[in-house]
Amino acid sequence: MKTSLMAAALLGAFAGAAHAQTAVQIYGTVDAGIQKQTGQTLSIGKRAANTLGFKGTEDLGNGLKALFHLEIRYEPDTGTLERTNRPLFQGQSRVGLQGDFGMVRIGRGLTPYWETIGAFDPWHAVPNQGGFYTDLTVAGYNAQPLDPSGTGNNRWANAFWYNSPVVSGFQLNAAIATKEGNGGSVIGRGTAAAPQYPAGAEATSNPFSVSATYNNGPAALMLGYERNAVETKVMSVGASFMVTPDLKLMGTATRQDQENTVFVNPKTKAWVLGANYALGPGKVLAGYGQKDPDGQVKTKQMSLGYEYSLSKRTYLYVDASRKKAQNSVNYYDLGVNHSF
């Protein structure tokens, strides 16, 4: 009798614990292919970021949820972490709460500006030379100049995020970061021996980022503004429209202002126009854009790509692009992407 009662008590305890447990999802992407760029030999590389992530939620009652999100980035050809100077959770590491008020999170992740504008890039924000996301779409802007070189350019550490509820298709997204320096330096208006922001220097003001989006039916719009740790400012507008169920047109216009760290010609303007066209199990990607720094050579880029879906989680891809400033650089890739 005692044994039965103990067993029942244990089962009840485990059932209660299971009910209260966080629902955890493990996901990831494996992307690998061959790449060739003007002046470089053929190499194994990636088109999209390779990720291994863990995310979950816990129901706290009364419509309130706790949530977390951790994401590792790695190299497909060696299995090592993405660049040795990047943090373990380069993709993101955030914890927060979600409810009727929206969502709040603390940690490391994409800034609202970068997260929003990626939806209007014809290469759906893949960070490779064939697309536009990391250069022309944002007019060459870097969100985290005080991080060590190579850490990345579109994420913040030590930051707080807020995402409002979606109301009639509208949403407001905002983030603010601390002034903490992460080891990087910026020469700016100084010299190599005495940079304007030495290694380990704090920001002169709190970086912040805000974006507003509208997505309802065939049309989507965005307006984004961000100021980074060295007071560089960037502003973008973006729009997309589903002309037919198979054809999506999109475009962005961006302006960057580096007046705080650049002596002359601090402004850069850029624009990108693109299209995605579904063709059976495949999709054609096309885009053209220009980046125009004041007083410097204009950059022009034309790209064409194709994705062929083997299943809902696996597709083959091929890209070709030509980017011209002072010199022309041609880029080609061919590979496979699998998500799980």
Side-chain angles (χ1 to χ4, degrees), residues 52-117:
L52 174 62
F54 310 86
K55 60 182 178 180
T57 61
E58 181 183 13
D59 189 350
L60 302 176
N62 298 319
L64 186 65
K65 293 181 179 179
L67 55 90
F68 78 92
H69 201 157
L70 302 170
E71 187 175 286
I72 297 169
R73 302 270 289 272
Y74 64 93
E75 301 294 356
D77 51 344
T78 61
T80 55
L81 291 177
E82 187 180 67
R83 300 186 186 178
T84 56
N85 65 331
R86 292 190 169 185
L88 173 62
F89 294 107
Q90 157 68 11
Q92 64 176 302
S93 57
R94 293 189 281 197
V95 63
L97 296 171
Q98 184 174 10
D100 294 338
F101 56 84
M103 179 167 56
V104 293
R105 291 169 292 173
I106 299 174
R108 171 185 173 81
L110 282 170
T111 73
Y113 169 80
W114 277 91
E115 194 164 39
T116 301
I117 202 168

Short mmCIF file of all heavy atoms in Angstrom, two decimals, residues 52-117:
data_model
loop_
_atom_site.label_atom_id
_atom_site.label_comp_id
_atom_site.label_asym_id
_atom_site.label_seq_id
_atom_site.Cartn_x
_atom_site.Cartn_y
_atom_site.Cartn_z
N LEU A 52 22.60 26.55 -35.20
CA LEU A 52 22.05 25.55 -34.30
C LEU A 52 21.41 26.33 -33.16
O LEU A 52 22.09 27.07 -32.45
CB LEU A 52 23.13 24.61 -33.75
CG LEU A 52 22.65 23.61 -32.68
CD1 LEU A 52 21.59 22.66 -33.24
CD2 LEU A 52 23.84 22.81 -32.13
N GLY A 53 20.08 26.19 -33.02
CA GLY A 53 19.38 27.03 -32.07
C GLY A 53 18.49 26.27 -31.12
O GLY A 53 18.06 25.13 -31.38
N PHE A 54 18.22 26.91 -30.00
CA PHE A 54 17.32 26.39 -28.98
C PHE A 54 16.39 27.53 -28.56
O PHE A 54 16.86 28.60 -28.19
CB PHE A 54 18.10 25.90 -27.75
CG PHE A 54 19.24 24.98 -28.08
CD1 PHE A 54 20.50 25.51 -28.40
CD2 PHE A 54 19.08 23.61 -28.08
CE1 PHE A 54 21.56 24.67 -28.70
CE2 PHE A 54 20.14 22.77 -28.38
CZ PHE A 54 21.37 23.30 -28.69
N LYS A 55 15.10 27.30 -28.64
CA LYS A 55 14.17 28.32 -28.19
C LYS A 55 12.98 27.66 -27.52
O LYS A 55 12.65 26.50 -27.80
CB LYS A 55 13.69 29.19 -29.36
CG LYS A 55 12.98 28.45 -30.48
CD LYS A 55 12.63 29.43 -31.58
CE LYS A 55 11.95 28.72 -32.75
NZ LYS A 55 11.60 29.68 -33.84
N GLY A 56 12.35 28.41 -26.62
CA GLY A 56 11.24 27.81 -25.90
C GLY A 56 10.41 28.85 -25.18
O GLY A 56 10.80 30.01 -25.04
N THR A 57 9.25 28.39 -24.74
CA THR A 57 8.33 29.25 -23.98
C THR A 57 7.77 28.46 -22.80
O THR A 57 7.74 27.23 -22.82
CB THR A 57 7.16 29.73 -24.85
OG1 THR A 57 6.42 28.59 -25.32
CG2 THR A 57 7.65 30.54 -26.03
N GLU A 58 7.36 29.19 -21.79
CA GLU A 58 6.68 28.59 -20.65
C GLU A 58 5.44 29.42 -20.34
O GLU A 58 5.52 30.65 -20.21
CB GLU A 58 7.59 28.57 -19.42
CG GLU A 58 6.91 27.92 -18.21
CD GLU A 58 7.77 27.96 -16.96
OE1 GLU A 58 8.78 28.69 -16.96
OE2 GLU A 58 7.43 27.27 -15.99
N ASP A 59 4.30 28.76 -20.26
CA ASP A 59 3.05 29.44 -19.96
C ASP A 59 3.00 29.77 -18.47
O ASP A 59 3.00 28.88 -17.62
CB ASP A 59 1.88 28.53 -20.36
CG ASP A 59 0.54 29.25 -20.28
OD1 ASP A 59 0.50 30.37 -19.75
OD2 ASP A 59 -0.47 28.68 -20.76
N LEU A 60 2.94 31.05 -18.15
CA LEU A 60 2.92 31.50 -16.76
C LEU A 60 1.50 31.80 -16.27
O LEU A 60 1.32 32.17 -15.11
CB LEU A 60 3.78 32.75 -16.60
CG LEU A 60 5.26 32.60 -17.01
CD1 LEU A 60 5.97 33.93 -16.89
CD2 LEU A 60 5.95 31.54 -16.18
N GLY A 61 0.53 31.66 -17.17
CA GLY A 61 -0.85 31.94 -16.80
C GLY A 61 -1.27 33.36 -17.09
O GLY A 61 -0.42 34.26 -17.25
N ASN A 62 -2.58 33.58 -17.22
CA ASN A 62 -3.14 34.92 -17.48
C ASN A 62 -2.58 35.55 -18.75
O ASN A 62 -2.40 36.77 -18.83
CB ASN A 62 -2.89 35.85 -16.29
CG ASN A 62 -3.56 35.37 -15.02
OD1 ASN A 62 -4.70 34.90 -15.05
ND2 ASN A 62 -2.85 35.45 -13.90
N GLY A 63 -2.27 34.71 -19.75
CA GLY A 63 -1.78 35.21 -21.02
C GLY A 63 -0.32 35.59 -21.04
O GLY A 63 0.18 36.11 -22.05
N LEU A 64 0.41 35.35 -19.95
CA LEU A 64 1.82 35.71 -19.85
C LEU A 64 2.70 34.50 -20.11
O LEU A 64 2.44 33.40 -19.60
CB LEU A 64 2.12 36.28 -18.47
CG LEU A 64 3.53 36.84 -18.23
CD1 LEU A 64 3.77 38.05 -19.12
CD2 LEU A 64 3.71 37.20 -16.76
N LYS A 65 3.76 34.68 -20.91
CA LYS A 65 4.70 33.62 -21.22
C LYS A 65 6.13 34.08 -20.98
O LYS A 65 6.47 35.24 -21.25
CB LYS A 65 4.58 33.19 -22.69
CG LYS A 65 3.27 32.52 -23.05
CD LYS A 65 3.27 32.11 -24.51
CE LYS A 65 1.98 31.41 -24.90
NZ LYS A 65 1.98 31.03 -26.33
N ALA A 66 6.95 33.18 -20.46
CA ALA A 66 8.40 33.40 -20.42
C ALA A 66 8.99 32.78 -21.68
O ALA A 66 8.48 31.78 -22.19
CB ALA A 66 9.00 32.75 -19.18
N LEU A 67 10.05 33.37 -22.20
CA LEU A 67 10.65 32.84 -23.42
C LEU A 67 12.16 33.00 -23.39
O LEU A 67 12.70 33.87 -22.70
CB LEU A 67 10.05 33.52 -24.65
CG LEU A 67 10.09 35.05 -24.73
CD1 LEU A 67 11.36 35.55 -25.40
CD2 LEU A 67 8.88 35.57 -25.48
N PHE A 68 12.83 32.14 -24.15
CA PHE A 68 14.28 32.27 -24.31
C PHE A 68 14.65 31.87 -25.72
O PHE A 68 13.90 31.17 -26.41
CB PHE A 68 15.04 31.40 -23.30
CG PHE A 68 15.08 29.93 -23.67
CD1 PHE A 68 16.13 29.41 -24.41
CD2 PHE A 68 14.04 29.07 -23.29
CE1 PHE A 68 16.16 28.07 -24.76
CE2 PHE A 68 14.08 27.73 -23.63
CZ PHE A 68 15.14 27.23 -24.37
N HIS A 69 15.84 32.29 -26.17
CA HIS A 69 16.30 31.98 -27.52
C HIS A 69 17.83 32.00 -27.53
O HIS A 69 18.44 33.03 -27.19
CB HIS A 69 15.75 32.99 -28.52
CG HIS A 69 15.74 32.51 -29.92
ND1 HIS A 69 14.90 33.02 -30.89
CD2 HIS A 69 16.45 31.54 -30.55
CE1 HIS A 69 15.09 32.41 -32.03
NE2 HIS A 69 16.04 31.50 -31.86
N LEU A 70 18.45 30.89 -27.87
CA LEU A 70 19.91 30.77 -27.98
C LEU A 70 20.24 30.27 -29.38
O LEU A 70 19.60 29.32 -29.86
CB LEU A 70 20.46 29.79 -26.94
CG LEU A 70 20.18 30.11 -25.47
CD1 LEU A 70 20.59 28.93 -24.59
CD2 LEU A 70 20.92 31.37 -25.04
N GLU A 71 21.26 30.86 -30.01
CA GLU A 71 21.59 30.44 -31.38
C GLU A 71 23.10 30.48 -31.61
O GLU A 71 23.74 31.51 -31.46
CB GLU A 71 20.88 31.32 -32.40
CG GLU A 71 21.04 30.82 -33.83
CD GLU A 71 20.22 31.65 -34.80
OE1 GLU A 71 18.98 31.48 -34.83
OE2 GLU A 71 20.80 32.48 -35.53
N ILE A 72 23.64 29.33 -31.97
CA ILE A 72 25.06 29.17 -32.28
C ILE A 72 25.24 29.28 -33.79
O ILE A 72 24.39 28.84 -34.56
CB ILE A 72 25.57 27.79 -31.80
CG1 ILE A 72 25.46 27.69 -30.28
CG2 ILE A 72 27.00 27.54 -32.25
CD1 ILE A 72 25.69 26.29 -29.75
N ARG A 73 26.34 29.86 -34.23
CA ARG A 73 26.67 29.94 -35.65
C ARG A 73 27.99 29.19 -35.88
O ARG A 73 28.93 29.31 -35.09
CB ARG A 73 26.83 31.40 -36.07
CG ARG A 73 25.60 32.27 -35.82
CD ARG A 73 24.65 32.29 -36.98
NE ARG A 73 25.21 33.04 -38.06
CZ ARG A 73 25.06 34.36 -38.23
NH1 ARG A 73 24.34 35.04 -37.35
NH2 ARG A 73 25.60 34.99 -39.25
N TYR A 74 28.06 28.42 -36.98
CA TYR A 74 29.26 27.61 -37.23
C TYR A 74 29.58 27.59 -38.72
O TYR A 74 28.78 27.96 -39.56
CB TYR A 74 29.04 26.18 -36.72
CG TYR A 74 27.93 25.43 -37.44
CD1 TYR A 74 28.20 24.64 -38.54
CD2 TYR A 74 26.61 25.54 -37.03
CE1 TYR A 74 27.19 23.97 -39.22
CE2 TYR A 74 25.59 24.89 -37.69
CZ TYR A 74 25.89 24.10 -38.78
OH TYR A 74 24.88 23.46 -39.47
N GLU A 75 30.80 27.13 -39.02
CA GLU A 75 31.26 27.03 -40.41
C GLU A 75 30.97 25.62 -40.95
O GLU A 75 31.27 24.63 -40.28
CB GLU A 75 32.76 27.32 -40.51
CG GLU A 75 33.17 28.69 -40.01
CD GLU A 75 32.63 29.83 -40.86
OE1 GLU A 75 31.98 29.55 -41.89
OE2 GLU A 75 32.83 30.99 -40.48
N PRO A 76 30.40 25.52 -42.16
CA PRO A 76 29.99 24.21 -42.67
C PRO A 76 31.15 23.32 -43.12
O PRO A 76 31.06 22.10 -43.06
CB PRO A 76 29.11 24.58 -43.87
CG PRO A 76 29.67 25.88 -44.35
CD PRO A 76 30.11 26.60 -43.11
N ASP A 77 32.24 23.94 -43.59
CA ASP A 77 33.32 23.13 -44.16
C ASP A 77 34.26 22.56 -43.10
O ASP A 77 34.95 21.57 -43.35
CB ASP A 77 34.13 23.95 -45.18
CG ASP A 77 34.57 25.29 -44.64
OD1 ASP A 77 34.03 25.72 -43.61
OD2 ASP A 77 35.47 25.90 -45.25
N THR A 78 34.30 23.17 -41.91
CA THR A 78 35.21 22.70 -40.87
C THR A 78 34.49 22.27 -39.60
O THR A 78 35.09 21.59 -38.76
CB THR A 78 36.22 23.81 -40.49
OG1 THR A 78 35.49 24.94 -39.97
CG2 THR A 78 37.02 24.24 -41.71
N GLY A 79 33.25 22.69 -39.42
CA GLY A 79 32.51 22.37 -38.20
C GLY A 79 32.90 23.23 -37.02
O GLY A 79 32.39 23.03 -35.92
N THR A 80 33.75 24.21 -37.23
CA THR A 80 34.18 25.10 -36.15
C THR A 80 33.16 26.23 -35.96
O THR A 80 32.33 26.48 -36.82
CB THR A 80 35.55 25.70 -36.45
OG1 THR A 80 35.50 26.37 -37.72
CG2 THR A 80 36.61 24.62 -36.51
N LEU A 81 33.25 26.92 -34.83
CA LEU A 81 32.40 28.08 -34.61
C LEU A 81 32.70 29.15 -35.65
O LEU A 81 33.82 29.27 -36.15
CB LEU A 81 32.62 28.66 -33.21
CG LEU A 81 32.13 27.80 -32.04
CD1 LEU A 81 32.49 28.48 -30.73
CD2 LEU A 81 30.63 27.56 -32.12
N GLU A 82 31.69 29.93 -35.99
CA GLU A 82 31.82 30.96 -37.01
C GLU A 82 32.83 32.01 -36.57
O GLU A 82 32.55 32.81 -35.67
CB GLU A 82 30.45 31.59 -37.26
CG GLU A 82 30.43 32.55 -38.43
CD GLU A 82 29.06 33.15 -38.62
OE1 GLU A 82 28.63 33.92 -37.73
OE2 GLU A 82 28.41 32.85 -39.62
N ARG A 83 34.00 32.01 -37.14
CA ARG A 83 35.10 32.92 -36.80
C ARG A 83 35.47 32.80 -35.32
O ARG A 83 34.62 32.83 -34.46
CB ARG A 83 34.77 34.37 -37.15
CG ARG A 83 34.47 34.57 -38.63
CD ARG A 83 34.28 36.05 -38.94
NE ARG A 83 33.84 36.23 -40.32
CZ ARG A 83 33.56 37.42 -40.85
NH1 ARG A 83 33.67 38.52 -40.12
NH2 ARG A 83 33.16 37.51 -42.08
N THR A 84 36.73 32.69 -35.07
CA THR A 84 37.18 32.39 -33.71
C THR A 84 36.95 33.53 -32.72
O THR A 84 36.90 33.31 -31.51
CB THR A 84 38.69 32.05 -33.72
OG1 THR A 84 39.42 33.14 -34.33
CG2 THR A 84 38.94 30.78 -34.53
N ASN A 85 36.81 34.77 -33.23
CA ASN A 85 36.64 35.90 -32.30
C ASN A 85 35.18 36.19 -32.00
O ASN A 85 34.87 37.16 -31.31
CB ASN A 85 37.31 37.15 -32.87
CG ASN A 85 36.63 37.64 -34.13
OD1 ASN A 85 36.07 36.86 -34.89
ND2 ASN A 85 36.71 38.94 -34.39
N ARG A 86 34.26 35.39 -32.50
CA ARG A 86 32.84 35.62 -32.25
C ARG A 86 32.38 34.85 -31.02
O ARG A 86 32.94 33.81 -30.68
CB ARG A 86 32.01 35.21 -33.47
CG ARG A 86 32.25 36.13 -34.67
CD ARG A 86 31.26 35.88 -35.78
NE ARG A 86 31.36 36.93 -36.78
CZ ARG A 86 30.57 37.05 -37.85
NH1 ARG A 86 29.61 36.16 -38.03
NH2 ARG A 86 30.72 38.03 -38.70
N PRO A 87 31.34 35.35 -30.34
CA PRO A 87 30.86 34.65 -29.14
C PRO A 87 30.22 33.32 -29.48
O PRO A 87 29.86 33.07 -30.64
CB PRO A 87 29.83 35.63 -28.56
CG PRO A 87 29.40 36.47 -29.71
CD PRO A 87 30.61 36.59 -30.60
N LEU A 88 30.09 32.44 -28.48
CA LEU A 88 29.47 31.13 -28.69
C LEU A 88 28.08 31.28 -29.27
O LEU A 88 27.73 30.66 -30.26
CB LEU A 88 29.41 30.36 -27.37
CG LEU A 88 28.64 29.03 -27.40
CD1 LEU A 88 29.29 28.04 -28.37
CD2 LEU A 88 28.56 28.44 -26.00
N PHE A 89 27.27 32.14 -28.66
CA PHE A 89 25.92 32.39 -29.16
C PHE A 89 25.93 33.66 -30.00
O PHE A 89 25.32 34.67 -29.65
CB PHE A 89 24.93 32.47 -28.00
CG PHE A 89 24.77 31.15 -27.28
CD1 PHE A 89 25.32 30.96 -26.03
CD2 PHE A 89 24.10 30.10 -27.88
CE1 PHE A 89 25.18 29.74 -25.36
CE2 PHE A 89 23.96 28.88 -27.24
CZ PHE A 89 24.51 28.69 -25.98
N GLN A 90 26.66 33.60 -31.13
CA GLN A 90 26.77 34.73 -32.04
C GLN A 90 25.40 35.13 -32.58
O GLN A 90 25.09 36.31 -32.72
CB GLN A 90 27.71 34.38 -33.21
CG GLN A 90 27.52 35.19 -34.48
CD GLN A 90 27.91 36.64 -34.34
OE1 GLN A 90 28.50 37.04 -33.35
NE2 GLN A 90 27.55 37.45 -35.33
N GLY A 91 24.55 34.16 -32.90
CA GLY A 91 23.25 34.46 -33.47
C GLY A 91 22.39 35.26 -32.52
O GLY A 91 21.95 36.37 -32.86
N GLN A 92 22.16 34.75 -31.33
CA GLN A 92 21.46 35.49 -30.30
C GLN A 92 21.44 34.73 -28.98
O GLN A 92 21.62 33.51 -28.96
CB GLN A 92 20.03 35.85 -30.71
CG GLN A 92 19.09 34.68 -30.93
CD GLN A 92 17.68 35.17 -31.23
OE1 GLN A 92 17.07 35.89 -30.44
NE2 GLN A 92 17.16 34.81 -32.40
N SER A 93 21.24 35.47 -27.92
CA SER A 93 21.04 34.88 -26.59
C SER A 93 20.16 35.85 -25.82
O SER A 93 20.64 36.85 -25.30
CB SER A 93 22.39 34.66 -25.87
OG SER A 93 23.12 35.86 -25.77
N ARG A 94 18.86 35.55 -25.79
CA ARG A 94 17.89 36.48 -25.19
C ARG A 94 16.89 35.73 -24.33
O ARG A 94 16.56 34.57 -24.60
CB ARG A 94 17.14 37.26 -26.27
CG ARG A 94 18.02 38.21 -27.06
CD ARG A 94 17.25 39.12 -27.97
NE ARG A 94 16.85 38.46 -29.20
CZ ARG A 94 16.45 39.10 -30.30
NH1 ARG A 94 16.41 40.44 -30.31
NH2 ARG A 94 16.09 38.45 -31.37
N VAL A 95 16.41 36.41 -23.31
CA VAL A 95 15.37 35.89 -22.44
C VAL A 95 14.37 37.02 -22.23
O VAL A 95 14.74 38.20 -22.22
CB VAL A 95 15.95 35.40 -21.09
CG1 VAL A 95 16.57 36.55 -20.31
CG2 VAL A 95 14.89 34.69 -20.26
N GLY A 96 13.08 36.67 -22.07
CA GLY A 96 12.11 37.74 -21.91
C GLY A 96 10.73 37.25 -21.56
O GLY A 96 10.52 36.09 -21.17
N LEU A 97 9.76 38.16 -21.71
CA LEU A 97 8.37 37.90 -21.39
C LEU A 97 7.49 38.36 -22.55
O LEU A 97 7.82 39.34 -23.24
CB LEU A 97 7.95 38.63 -20.12
CG LEU A 97 8.64 38.22 -18.81
CD1 LEU A 97 8.26 39.19 -17.70
CD2 LEU A 97 8.28 36.79 -18.42
N GLN A 98 6.36 37.65 -22.73
CA GLN A 98 5.43 38.01 -23.79
C GLN A 98 4.01 37.96 -23.24
O GLN A 98 3.65 37.05 -22.48
CB GLN A 98 5.55 37.05 -24.98
CG GLN A 98 4.69 37.40 -26.16
CD GLN A 98 4.98 36.51 -27.36
OE1 GLN A 98 5.68 35.51 -27.25
NE2 GLN A 98 4.45 36.88 -28.51
N GLY A 99 3.21 38.94 -23.62
CA GLY A 99 1.83 39.01 -23.16
C GLY A 99 1.02 39.95 -24.01
O GLY A 99 1.44 40.31 -25.13
N ASP A 100 -0.11 40.40 -23.49
CA ASP A 100 -0.97 41.32 -24.24
C ASP A 100 -0.27 42.64 -24.53
O ASP A 100 -0.63 43.35 -25.46
CB ASP A 100 -2.25 41.59 -23.45
CG ASP A 100 -3.12 40.35 -23.31
OD1 ASP A 100 -2.97 39.44 -24.14
OD2 ASP A 100 -3.94 40.29 -22.37
N PHE A 101 0.75 42.97 -23.74
CA PHE A 101 1.50 44.22 -23.92
C PHE A 101 2.50 44.14 -25.06
O PHE A 101 3.09 45.14 -25.48
CB PHE A 101 2.25 44.56 -22.63
CG PHE A 101 3.16 43.43 -22.17
CD1 PHE A 101 4.44 43.29 -22.68
CD2 PHE A 101 2.70 42.51 -21.25
CE1 PHE A 101 5.27 42.26 -22.27
CE2 PHE A 101 3.52 41.46 -20.83
CZ PHE A 101 4.80 41.34 -21.34
N GLY A 102 2.76 42.92 -25.57
CA GLY A 102 3.77 42.71 -26.58
C GLY A 102 4.85 41.79 -26.07
O GLY A 102 4.57 40.83 -25.33
N MET A 103 6.11 42.05 -26.42
CA MET A 103 7.22 41.19 -26.03
C MET A 103 8.41 42.05 -25.61
O MET A 103 8.77 43.01 -26.30
CB MET A 103 7.61 40.28 -27.18
CG MET A 103 8.77 39.35 -26.91
SD MET A 103 8.95 38.04 -28.18
CE MET A 103 9.09 39.01 -29.68
N VAL A 104 9.03 41.70 -24.47
CA VAL A 104 10.26 42.35 -24.02
C VAL A 104 11.34 41.28 -23.87
O VAL A 104 11.07 40.18 -23.39
CB VAL A 104 10.06 43.11 -22.69
CG1 VAL A 104 9.14 44.28 -22.88
CG2 VAL A 104 9.53 42.19 -21.60
N ARG A 105 12.57 41.63 -24.29
CA ARG A 105 13.68 40.68 -24.20
C ARG A 105 14.96 41.42 -23.81
O ARG A 105 15.11 42.61 -24.10
CB ARG A 105 13.88 39.96 -25.54
CG ARG A 105 12.78 39.01 -25.92
CD ARG A 105 12.90 38.55 -27.35
NE ARG A 105 12.65 39.64 -28.28
CZ ARG A 105 12.82 39.55 -29.61
NH1 ARG A 105 13.26 38.43 -30.15
NH2 ARG A 105 12.56 40.58 -30.38
N ILE A 106 15.89 40.69 -23.20
CA ILE A 106 17.18 41.24 -22.80
C ILE A 106 18.27 40.28 -23.26
O ILE A 106 18.12 39.06 -23.15
CB ILE A 106 17.27 41.42 -21.27
CG1 ILE A 106 16.20 42.40 -20.79
CG2 ILE A 106 18.65 41.92 -20.85
CD1 ILE A 106 16.13 42.51 -19.28
N GLY A 107 19.39 40.82 -23.78
CA GLY A 107 20.51 39.97 -24.16
C GLY A 107 21.20 40.45 -25.41
O GLY A 107 21.54 41.62 -25.55
N ARG A 108 21.38 39.51 -26.36
CA ARG A 108 22.08 39.78 -27.62
C ARG A 108 21.22 39.32 -28.78
O ARG A 108 20.63 38.23 -28.74
CB ARG A 108 23.42 39.05 -27.66
CG ARG A 108 24.13 39.10 -29.02
CD ARG A 108 25.40 38.26 -29.06
NE ARG A 108 25.93 38.20 -30.41
CZ ARG A 108 26.68 39.15 -30.97
NH1 ARG A 108 26.97 40.24 -30.29
NH2 ARG A 108 27.12 39.03 -32.21
N GLY A 109 21.15 40.12 -29.85
CA GLY A 109 20.38 39.72 -31.02
C GLY A 109 20.41 40.78 -32.09
O GLY A 109 21.05 41.85 -31.95
N LEU A 110 19.72 40.51 -33.20
CA LEU A 110 19.59 41.48 -34.28
C LEU A 110 18.90 42.74 -33.77
O LEU A 110 17.96 42.68 -32.98
CB LEU A 110 18.75 40.90 -35.42
CG LEU A 110 19.41 39.91 -36.38
CD1 LEU A 110 18.35 39.28 -37.26
CD2 LEU A 110 20.47 40.60 -37.23
N THR A 111 19.36 43.90 -34.22
CA THR A 111 18.66 45.13 -33.88
C THR A 111 17.33 45.17 -34.64
O THR A 111 17.19 44.54 -35.69
CB THR A 111 19.49 46.37 -34.25
OG1 THR A 111 19.49 46.53 -35.68
CG2 THR A 111 20.92 46.25 -33.75
N PRO A 112 16.34 45.89 -34.13
CA PRO A 112 15.06 45.99 -34.85
C PRO A 112 15.22 46.50 -36.29
O PRO A 112 14.53 46.04 -37.20
CB PRO A 112 14.26 46.97 -34.00
CG PRO A 112 14.81 46.79 -32.62
CD PRO A 112 16.27 46.56 -32.81
N TYR A 113 16.13 47.45 -36.50
CA TYR A 113 16.37 47.97 -37.85
C TYR A 113 16.81 46.87 -38.80
O TYR A 113 16.25 46.68 -39.88
CB TYR A 113 17.41 49.09 -37.80
CG TYR A 113 17.92 49.50 -39.16
CD1 TYR A 113 17.18 50.35 -39.96
CD2 TYR A 113 19.14 49.02 -39.64
CE1 TYR A 113 17.64 50.71 -41.22
CE2 TYR A 113 19.60 49.37 -40.89
CZ TYR A 113 18.86 50.22 -41.69
OH TYR A 113 19.31 50.56 -42.93
N TRP A 114 17.84 46.10 -38.38
CA TRP A 114 18.36 45.04 -39.24
C TRP A 114 17.34 43.92 -39.43
O TRP A 114 17.22 43.35 -40.51
CB TRP A 114 19.64 44.47 -38.64
CG TRP A 114 20.87 45.27 -38.95
CD1 TRP A 114 21.39 46.29 -38.20
CD2 TRP A 114 21.73 45.13 -40.08
NE1 TRP A 114 22.53 46.77 -38.80
CE2 TRP A 114 22.76 46.08 -39.95
CE3 TRP A 114 21.73 44.27 -41.18
CZ2 TRP A 114 23.78 46.21 -40.89
CZ3 TRP A 114 22.75 44.39 -42.11
CH2 TRP A 114 23.76 45.36 -41.96
N GLU A 115 16.63 43.59 -38.36
CA GLU A 115 15.65 42.50 -38.45
C GLU A 115 14.51 42.87 -39.41
O GLU A 115 14.02 42.04 -40.17
CB GLU A 115 15.09 42.19 -37.07
CG GLU A 115 14.34 40.88 -36.99
CD GLU A 115 14.14 40.42 -35.56
OE1 GLU A 115 13.89 41.29 -34.69
OE2 GLU A 115 14.26 39.21 -35.31
N THR A 116 14.11 44.14 -39.39
CA THR A 116 13.01 44.60 -40.22
C THR A 116 13.39 44.72 -41.69
O THR A 116 12.67 44.25 -42.57
CB THR A 116 12.50 45.96 -39.71
OG1 THR A 116 12.08 45.83 -38.36
CG2 THR A 116 11.34 46.45 -40.55
N ILE A 117 14.54 45.32 -41.97
CA ILE A 117 14.89 45.58 -43.36
C ILE A 117 15.21 44.29 -44.12
O ILE A 117 15.10 44.23 -45.35
CB ILE A 117 16.07 46.58 -43.45
CG1 ILE A 117 16.07 47.26 -44.83
CG2 ILE A 117 17.41 45.91 -43.14
CD1 ILE A 117 16.99 48.44 -44.93
#
